[in-house]
């Protein structure tokens, strides 16, 4: 599609950007005495289903996510463009269905939105062992992960198979559209691979385990170097990161994996910030989706903190920038 | 060869010039107005009160189509096709008219689309900061300059050619 085909969608997104919560509004939620006050203030801002009083944070978050994605589906000339942002949820749902099936539970409460594969289809595919019901990219990992958990009882390996396939499938999809979607998918792979390398190094995992961990598709650092670094230890991982971005290396060295994650998030915000000045095309829409999801993440964090009596000061530093 | 260029069938080329000068900027303007219209409809869906502000931005890329029509009208009058008897002109003179029409035909087409993109960005500006609408208009109007320059050259060229005996 041409960038001009997104004129209507971009204009609607620009209008809606005004309704993002400001930093002051987030601070006022942080300063609220309890979760109920936050929920009532959010309802006043149009969060949740219109005309309903919300007393449960899960409901308001779900409603907001649903609202976001139905808005994007409504305005976007081609829904499939944003599949790379939904595919990770499909794999999360696959993981939830496999685990629920093996534990004899219902997976409903673990299902997250938005998705490209109906959860019922995943349930049926797992129940009937009929993986052909799933999209092509999901069949092999679903079968492998199910077998690994059912026969070998290796939960960690099952997670690795699904997480890796999720990252690779999202990147493969993003490659069709290039630009900002591809950059974000590659950054997600980098973030996940460095996190995995860090864990492997800390737990001194053997080479045959490390071989299965890293997602392919990121040019720098390549998986062979990552494997070698994960085997050699944390210092080698830090050294390897220097070839990617010295800022990321510094963040990992000074603040550990938490600092690295934050540096990656800041990097994605920098990528998205450029779309502020893009008048047409998919970039403003992607930026809007990520910003809206970051806002929802911030609200979830605040509500959870309020529910569990965690201090505002502790949470404030954890809030992500909203584009 | 020279005899061919001096044969009195040049009206065909002059009319081709008039057709191109109507077609290309017209297509550019229609595409541009449509594109800004889509963007304006997006903002109006969220906030109908911004309609009048957006309408002005939508109209900006329409001018190239008008310039094309104006050039074409003047040329057709000059040739006696509108309101008179068609004149007989040589092929070389007809070609001169055709080339003289090209500046506004080509610049009109591309500037209308470029101006539409700037206007669509202006629509986004109005969506977020309605008080800055005039700035959005100025950005878009800057593109207009080049369409006006091309229009001037085409009109002056056409009237100059009329006085030359090829």
């Amino acid at each position: 599609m041409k960038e001009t085909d997104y004129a209507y969608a971009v204009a609607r997104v620009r209008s809606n950007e005004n309704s993002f919560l400001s930093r002051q509004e987030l601070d006022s939620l942080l300063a609220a005495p309890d979760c109920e006050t936050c929920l009532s203030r959010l309802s006043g801002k149009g969060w949740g289903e219109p005309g309903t009083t919300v007393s449960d944070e899960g409901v308001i978050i779900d409603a907001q996510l649903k609202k976001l994605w139905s808005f994007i589906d409504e305005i976007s000339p081609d829904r499939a463009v944003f599949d790379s942002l939904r595919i990770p949820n499909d794999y999360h749902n696959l993981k939830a269905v496999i685990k629920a099936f093996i534990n004899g539970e219902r997976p409903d409460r673990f299902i997250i939105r938005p998705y490209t594969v109906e959860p019922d289809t995943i349930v049926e595919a797992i129940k009937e062992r009929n993986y052909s019901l799933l999209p092509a990219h999901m069949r092999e990992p679903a079968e492998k992960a199910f077998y690994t958990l059912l026969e070998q009882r290796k939960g960690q390996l099952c997670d690795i198979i699904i997480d890796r396939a999720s990252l690779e499938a999202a990147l493969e999809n993003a490659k069709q559209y290039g630009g900002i979607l591809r950059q974000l998918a590659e950054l997600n792979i980098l973030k996940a691979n460095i996190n995995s390398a860090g864990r492997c190094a800390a737990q001194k995992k053997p080479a045959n385990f490390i071989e299965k961990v890293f997602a392919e598709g990121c040019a720098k650092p390549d998986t062979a170097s990552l494997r070698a670094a994960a085997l050699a230890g944390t210092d080698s991982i830090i050294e390897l990161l220097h070839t990617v971005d010295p800022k990321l290396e510094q963040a990992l060295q000074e603040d550990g994996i938490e600092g690295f994650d934050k540096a990656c998030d800041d990097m994605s915000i920098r990528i998205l910030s450029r779309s502020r000045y893009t008048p047409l095309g998919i970039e403003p829409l992607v930026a809007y989706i990520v910003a809206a999801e970051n806002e929802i993440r911030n609200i979830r964090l605040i509500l959870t903190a309020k529910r569990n009596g965690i201090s505002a000061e502790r949470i404030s530093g954890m809030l992500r920038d909203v584009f | 060869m020279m005899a061919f260029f001096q044969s009195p069938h040049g009206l065909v080329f002059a009319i081709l010039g008039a057709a191109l000068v109507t077609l290309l900027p017209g297509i550019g303007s229609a595409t541009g107005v449509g594109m800004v219209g889509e963007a304006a409809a997006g903002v109006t869906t969220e906030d109908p009160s911004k309609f009048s502000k957006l309408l002005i931005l939508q109209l900006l890329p329409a001018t190239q189509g008008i310039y094309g029509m104006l050039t074409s009208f003047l040329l057709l009058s000059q040739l006696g096709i509108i309101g008179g008897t068609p004149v007989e002109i040589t092929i070389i003179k007809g070609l001169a008219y055709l080339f003289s029409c090209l500046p506004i035909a080509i610049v009109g087409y591309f500037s209308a689309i470029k101006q539409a993109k700037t206007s669509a960005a202006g629509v986004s500006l109005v969506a977020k900061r309605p008080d800055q609408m005039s700035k959005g208009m100025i950005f878009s109007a800057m593109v207009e300059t080049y369409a006006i320059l091309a229009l001037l050259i085409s009109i002056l060229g056409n009237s100059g050619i009329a006085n030359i005996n090829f």
Side-chain angles (χ1 to χ4, degrees), chain A residues 3 8 11-12 16-18, chain B residues 35 38-39 42 46 117 127-128:
Chain A
E3 58 168 25
Y8 174 81
R12 287 200 63 184
N16 268 9
E17 278 174 3
N18 286 337
Chain B
M35 187 199 303
E38 278 181 43
E46 301 293 334
K117 287 184 179 176
K128 292 194 85 170

Side-chain angles (χ1 to χ4, degrees), chain B residues 131-154:
Chain B
D131 54 317
Q132 302 296 314
M133 183 236 180
S134 55
K135 289 175 185 158
M137 271 178 66
I138 292 168
F139 294 140
S140 183
M142 288 291 117
V143 187
E144 189 84 14
T145 315
Y146 301 95
I148 293 171
L149 296 180
L151 170 73
L152 280 174
I153 293 301
S154 287

Side-chain angles (χ1 to χ4, degrees), chain A:
Chain A
M1 292 206 115
K2 289 183 291 179
E3 58 168 25
T4 49
D5 293 335
Y6 289 88
Y8 174 81
V10 171
R12 287 200 63 184
V13 153
R14 294 290 187 220
S15 294
N16 268 9
E17 278 174 3
N18 286 337
S19 60
F20 279 138
L21 296 170
S22 64
R23 186 70 214 193
Q24 286 87 341
E25 284 168 323
L26 282 179
D27 287 341
S28 100
L29 288 173
L30 273 173
D34 52 38
C35 189
E36 279 64 35
T37 314
C38 288
L39 288 170
S40 122
R41 282 185 194 169
L42 287 169
S43 292
K45 294 263 166 217
W47 280 56
E49 295 293 339
T52 57
T53 318
V54 187
S55 55
D56 185 299
E57 53 264 40
V59 174
I60 206 167
I61 297 284
D62 279 353
Q64 204 61 14
L65 264 175
K66 209 171 157 186
K67 217 189 273 180
L68 164 68
W69 281 96
S70 55
F71 172 66
I72 293 297
D73 288 343
E74 181 197 334
I75 63 170
S76 177
D78 179 8
R79 280 187 60 173
V81 173
F82 304 108
D83 278 357
S84 64
L85 302 175
R86 290 185 257 234
I87 284 172
N89 291 354
D90 290 334
Y91 279 89
H92 167 93
N93 293 344
L94 173 67
K95 206 190 284 181
V97 169
I98 290 176
K99 288 183 178 175
F101 182 80
I102 288 175
N103 295 329
E105 294 174 38
R106 285 181 61 81
D108 308 18
R109 67 194 175 101
F110 306 112
I111 297 296
I112 57 169
R113 285 173 188 276
Y115 38 70
T116 65
V117 187
E118 282 296 324
D120 287 345
T121 310
I122 302 178
V123 171
E124 203 187 331
I126 297 300
K127 215 164 127 186
E128 306 294 328
R129 315 279 198 280
N130 183 3
Y131 304 105
S132 62
L133 295 172
L134 301 171
H137 61 80
M138 212 184 227
R139 287 172 199 159
E140 201 190 318
E143 192 174 356
K144 261 193 197 169
F146 184 67
Y147 170 78
T148 306
L149 195 60
L150 184 72
E151 304 286 323
Q152 303 177 346
R153 294 278 156 191
K154 289 180 178 167
Q156 194 184 16
L157 193 55
C158 167
D159 286 352
I160 285 171
I161 292 167
I162 294 178
D163 292 343
R164 182 182 159 174
S166 161
L167 292 162
E168 288 173 354
L171 178 62
E172 212 46 53
N173 186 279
K175 276 181 184 171
Q176 291 176 52
Y177 306 101
I180 197 172
L181 286 169
R182 185 178 178 156
Q183 282 175 297
L184 290 175
E186 283 178 347
L187 189 60
N188 282 342
I189 289 189
L190 173 72
K191 191 175 163 184
N193 279 353
I194 295 294
N195 268 286
S196 304
R199 274 196 300 272
C200 287
Q203 293 169 15
K204 300 203 181 330
K205 290 282 183 190
N208 64 339
F209 181 89
I210 288 174
E211 209 167 280
K212 296 169 189 149
V213 172
F214 302 113
E216 299 279 351
C218 206
K220 259 167 91 178
D222 61 280
T223 42
S225 317
L226 271 166
R227 280 182 206 129
L231 272 173
T234 314
D235 289 344
S236 302
I237 300 168
I238 293 171
E239 213 171 285
L240 184 64
L241 255 188
H242 184 75
T243 60
V244 182
D245 189 327
K247 276 186 192 159
L248 294 179
E249 178 212 9
Q250 196 188 353
L252 185 63
Q253 200 162 22
E254 287 172 7
D255 306 314
I257 214 71
E258 245 183 53
F260 169 76
D261 282 351
K262 177 129 187 2
C264 282
D265 289 348
D266 291 344
M267 199 184 242
S268 71
I269 291 289
R270 277 203 300 280
I271 294 170
L272 295 166
S273 296
R274 288 199 286 270
S275 74
R276 273 189 157 174
Y277 310 109
T278 309
L280 298 163
I282 61 165
E283 284 85 356
L285 274 73
V286 176
Y288 177 81
I289 295 169
V290 175
E293 285 188 334
N294 274 351
E295 186 182 69
I296 292 169
R297 205 167 293 138
N298 282 344
I299 293 300
R300 184 185 279 137
L301 201 64
I302 293 172
L303 294 176
T304 311
K306 290 285 161 200
R307 192 64 82 197
N308 296 297
I310 300 167
S311 72
E313 292 76 36
R314 222 179 123 192
I315 293 302
S316 183
M318 292 162 79
L319 296 181
R320 293 294 187 247
D321 282 345
V322 178
F323 153 77

